[in-house]
Amino acid sequence: MRNVITIARKELQSYFASPIAYVVIGFFALLFGYFFASLIYWFEQQSLQMTPGSGPPLNINQALIGPVFMNVSVIVLFVMPMITMRTYAEEKRSGTMELLLTSPLTDVQIILGKFLGALGLYAVMLAVTLIHVGVLFLYGNPEWKPVATVYLGLLLMGACFISAGLFISSLTKNQIVAGMVTFAVFLLLWVINWLGQSFGPTGQAVISHLSITEHLDDFARGIIDTKHVIYYLSFIVFGLFLTAKSVDSERWRG
Amino acid sequence: MIEVQHLSKRYGPFTAVDDVSFSVGAGEILGFLGPNGAGKTTTMRIITGYMPASEGTVTVAGHDVFSDAIEAKKRTGYLPETPPLYPDMSVRDYVTFVARIKGVPSREVRGRVDDVMKKTHIADMASRHCGKLSKGYKQRVGLAQALIHNPDVLVLDEPTAGLDPKQIIEARQLITELGGNHTVVLSTHILPEVSQTCNRVVIIARGKVVAVDTPDNLTARLRGSETMYLQVSAPGADVTQALAAIAGITRVKAEAGGNGLVSIEVDCEQGRDVRRELAATVVHQGWGLLELRPMRMSLEDIFLSLTTEDAGSAPADAAPAATEAASA
Ligand SMILES: Nc1ncnc2c1ncn2[C@@H]1O[C@H](COP(=O)(O)OP(=O)(O)O)[C@@H](O)[C@H]1O
Ligand SMILES: [Mg+2]
């Protein structure tokens, strides 16, 4: 465990030593701020137009927080490749992989360390949004439970992207290639939903089950369904398993 | 301390290391000498547990590097061909990170880092980013990294490559100091390196071991016959015939220069000192003797003669190589 933490710390340190962390967080904060502001504006318009007594008042959770965080999943799609692309590719290119693989560490410790490091940066990124949410709590009275579950959902969803990103990065020495392939794969996992609609009801059910973002819906409604949690966890484990296989086969090939 | 037995490594159909065996005793400095592409790096990567062998076994301090990898790695320090540095990390952060992953107990990390930085003379660069260091400093940080957990075995891949002459001398001094406390294996394709730092040499070519011995023995053993060099002033004389008549001389090669000067190489039977006879003959013929000295074969010649030979016929016992060298 000490080794895992050492690696994770080193990963986090290297994100913040290079511009990556700042670019990622800045980009994320900017887009999030934009979505947030425009949804607030829309929410305000809707509320003002409603005449009192014409129906239930707009629910801030359903009408604002839910949609905002669904947008977050799109932003994550764009920034996550920047976080994961260098994890393995850069170590292989610069030769530091030789240091890691000749140290008394297991492959699993290295993989988990890198995974937690990336997850740490992602968590910092999400933490930026706490400011916006704080404002909502200050001036409105949203329910806290759906807010908490949406963060849990986002964390799980991000972890899936990270484990897939680690695997892709482990396949190449070139971090740019890793980044682009990762982005393409994430995009595919995202649009797969739309494709599903052309396959009829069963096709859609199957395909939307595969889509990473689709599983986020219930979390945004304040529901923690084990079905979704298990989906995310198995996705993560599978990604990390593939990474381990990839590192090991690279070692045999030399 | 290190046992390498029947080690082979294939990259696809290509055999990079072919049935290599040798062992290194505690405190010894072993030189791993061979031209580029001989398989030095591959062998070292297997010893350090970076990659598994195709066949054969390696043990470090009694631990198999494959089946008991973690224990073997705890006892091994490795400086790859390019020092494995993180350019964005400061020297101190980097060495500290390596100390942690090499399993130095938390309480001792700080002390070890300070010690090693002092020993490798990088303390003045402690807060500099690794990426901004000169080649010489990078190499020293690489060495610090390899030493940090005070390993029994140090594996150094071309530790002086790319350094300037002053840095090379410093590096050699440091390595010589390290022998004794550590078992050192260093690879190089530069000859003076081995004769100056190593107790023993393994010469490898095209993946095969061609000779294992001390630098001195190698020189002696490979001189199958003794060669003398002499220069005489003998205008218009047949030097070759006169000298070849001396008993014990097997070959005379004369080369006429200007002004009647002749440079001559004379091979004679081993252990037979023909200097007196040579001098007497020259004087007797009325020539002027300008120079007479034994020619030692340099390690360079040995290396070339061993490694340029056909790989298939290269045995660890160097007799054929010696004949070839003598007749060359
Ligand atoms: N990963 C690899 N894949 C294929 N061939 C390799 C690989 N690494 C080294 N080789 C080949 O193996 C041979 C030995 O290489 P190496 O061990 O690096 O030699 P040296 O360090 O003595 O220069 C070379 O011919 C090299 O091209
Ligand atoms: Mg090499």
Side-chain angles (χ1 to χ4, degrees), chain A residues 2-3 6-7 9-11 13-14 17-18 86 90-91 94-106 109 114 250-254, chain B residues 9 11 45 48-53 66 70 73-74 78 80 82 84-86 88-89 93-94 97-106 145:
Chain A
R2 189 190 109 152
N3 289 336
T6 305
I7 302 275
R9 264 177 53 180
K10 177 229 116 192
E11 291 288 316
Q13 214 179 341
S14 82
S18 70
R86 54 185 267 156
E90 187 59 13
E91 303 252 18
S94 72
T96 45
M97 202 62 187
E98 262 184 292
L99 168 65
L100 296 183
L101 293 189
T102 56
S103 295
L105 304 169
T106 62
Q109 287 170 342
K114 287 185 172 292
E250 171 100 7
R251 168 181 287 149
W252 281 93
R253 275 180 287 119
Chain B
K9 176 72 188 181
Y11 294 113
R45 284 179 159 179
T48 54
Y50 176 73
M51 52 166 64
F66 184 64
I70 298 286
K73 285 173 183 177
K74 275 183 191 164
Y78 176 36
T82 37
L85 309 180
Y86 292 104
D88 291 333
M89 263 194 211
D93 285 350
Y94 171 72
F97 167 69
V98 179
R100 292 216 177 90
I101 58 171
K102 297 286 181 183
V104 175
S106 306
Q145 163 276 128

Side-chain angles (χ1 to χ4, degrees), chain A:
Chain A
M1 197 58 207
R2 189 190 109 152
N3 289 336
V4 174
I5 291 167
T6 305
I7 302 275
R9 264 177 53 180
K10 177 229 116 192
E11 291 288 316
L12 262 181
Q13 214 179 341
S14 82
Y15 285 131
F16 283 95
S18 70
I20 288 192
Y22 305 101
V23 169
V24 164
I25 292 174
F27 187 66
F28 180 79
L30 207 71
L31 283 182
F32 183 81
Y34 171 75
F35 281 130
F36 188 77
S38 52
L39 272 161
I40 291 254
Y41 179 73
W42 176 85
F43 183 75
E44 227 171 27
Q45 296 292 312
Q46 295 289 309
S47 313
L48 288 177
Q49 279 164 16
M50 278 174 47
T51 42
S54 69
L58 271 179
N59 178 314
I60 190 167
N61 281 96
Q62 267 167 34
L64 184 61
I65 297 179
V68 163
F69 282 100
M70 288 318 283
N71 282 321
V72 168
S73 66
V74 183
I75 313 175
V76 169
L77 194 84
F78 282 90
V79 297
M80 201 57 103
M82 286 193 263
I83 297 183
T84 59
M85 65 185 189
R86 54 185 267 156
T87 44
Y88 273 96
E90 187 59 13
E91 303 252 18
K92 291 204 283 185
R93 192 198 58 78
S94 72
T96 45
M97 202 62 187
E98 262 184 292
L99 168 65
L100 296 183
L101 293 189
T102 56
S103 295
L105 304 169
T106 62
D107 287 357
V108 172
Q109 287 170 342
I110 300 173
I111 292 168
L112 286 181
K114 287 185 172 292
F115 174 75
L116 289 181
L119 196 63
L121 176 59
Y122 175 66
V124 171
M125 193 174 95
L126 284 185
V128 170
T129 66
L130 286 174
I131 301 168
H132 306 79
V133 175
V135 171
L136 289 185
F137 275 94
L138 218 56
Y139 294 103
N141 54 343
E143 285 175 74
W144 66 269
K145 201 169 154 246
V147 176
T149 55
V150 87
Y151 273 108
L152 175 69
L154 281 175
L155 219 49
L156 284 169
M157 182 198 72
C160 288
F161 280 133
I162 291 171
S163 82
L166 279 181
F167 170 57
I168 294 166
S169 182
S170 76
L171 297 173
T172 169
K173 272 189 172 102
N174 184 326
Q175 55 168 324
I176 304 300
V177 169
M180 289 190 321
V181 173
T182 308
F183 179 66
V185 169
F186 287 0
L187 208 60
L188 193 75
L189 285 172
W190 187 55
V191 298
I192 209 168
N193 253 343
W194 305 340
L195 293 177
Q197 288 163 7
S198 53
F199 288 110
T202 33
Q204 190 175 358
V206 170
I207 282 175
S208 80
H209 185 75
L210 288 177
S211 161
I212 293 189
T213 45
E214 196 62 19
H215 291 266
L216 203 58
D217 280 348
D218 278 347
F219 286 101
R221 285 192 215 105
I223 305 162
I224 300 180
D225 189 334
T226 41
K227 181 177 76 188
H228 301 310
V229 175
I230 287 172
Y231 167 82
Y232 279 143
L233 289 181
S234 25
F235 193 109
I236 295 165
V237 171
F238 186 59
L240 298 181
F241 170 77
L242 287 182
T243 313
K245 282 284 155 209
S246 153
V247 171
D248 197 47
S249 88
E250 171 100 7
R251 168 181 287 149
W252 281 93
R253 275 180 287 119

Side-chain angles (χ1 to χ4, degrees), chain B residues 36-37 40-42 81 157-158 187:
Chain B
N36 279 328
K40 303 182 295 290
T41 299
T42 303
E81 248 168 320
D157 198 354
E158 314 229 356
S187 79

Side-chain angles (χ1 to χ4, degrees), chain B residues 83-252:
Chain B
L85 309 180
Y86 292 104
D88 291 333
M89 263 194 211
S90 76
V91 169
R92 174 175 284 280
D93 285 350
Y94 171 72
V95 180
T96 307
F97 167 69
V98 179
R100 292 216 177 90
I101 58 171
K102 297 286 181 183
V104 175
S106 306
R107 266 174 289 108
E108 295 165 27
V109 167
R110 226 194 135 78
R112 279 298 302 164
V113 169
D114 285 335
D115 276 1
V116 163
M117 291 208 305
K118 204 183 287 166
K119 205 172 190 176
T120 53
H121 312 293
I122 54 171
D124 49 334
M125 292 288 166
S127 53
R128 181 79 63 97
H129 280 186
C130 292
K132 298 219 169 73
L133 296 173
S134 67
K135 173 77 188 158
Y137 267 104
K138 279 186 183 158
Q139 199 71 10
R140 284 193 232 170
V141 176
L143 204 53
Q145 163 276 128
L147 281 170
I148 188 70
H149 52 308
N150 198 16
D152 296 335
V153 169
L154 268 178
V155 179
L156 313 174
D157 198 354
E158 314 229 356
T160 59
L163 299 184
D164 67 36
K166 184 165 164 281
Q167 293 168 334
I168 290 181
I169 293 169
E170 286 169 2
R172 280 188 195 145
Q173 249 163 13
L174 194 57
I175 292 166
T176 316
E177 281 167 33
L178 292 173
N181 293 326
H182 307 269
T183 303
V184 182
V185 178
L186 67 87
S187 79
T188 176
H189 60 270
I190 309 158
L191 286 143
E193 193 90 13
V194 266
S195 44
Q196 288 176 22
T197 41
C198 304
N199 311 122
R200 223 149 49 87
V201 189
V202 171
I203 297 182
I204 179 172
R206 273 170 248 100
K208 287 192 156 95
V209 171
V210 283
V212 186
D213 215 327
T214 64
D216 287 344
N217 277 352
L218 266 180
T219 319
R221 209 175 72 182
L222 291 180
R223 253 185 316 147
S225 59
E226 315 259 349
T227 306
M228 295 291 162
Y229 172 82
L230 59 164
Q231 197 180 41
V232 296
S233 151
D238 187 354
V239 179
T240 314
Q241 202 181 7
L243 294 183
I246 300 170
I249 285 184
T250 52
R251 188 184 67 111
V252 177

Side-chain angles (χ1 to χ4, degrees), chain B residues 266-311:
Chain B
V266 176
D267 286 359
C268 49
E269 286 162 15
Q270 197 167 17
R272 185 160 182 162
D273 191 350
V274 291
R275 276 177 292 184
R276 284 174 202 80
E277 287 85 345
L278 278 173
T281 309
V282 171
V283 172
H284 185 73
Q285 298 277 348
W287 306 331
L289 181 58
L290 302 178
E291 196 176 350
L292 171 59
R293 62 178 162 86
M295 270 174 79
R296 270 176 72 91
M297 218 177 147
S298 70
L299 254 182
E300 198 112 16
D301 302 326
I302 297 165
F303 178 56
L304 279 175
S305 69
L306 282 176
T307 54
T308 51
E309 207 184 332
D310 181 58

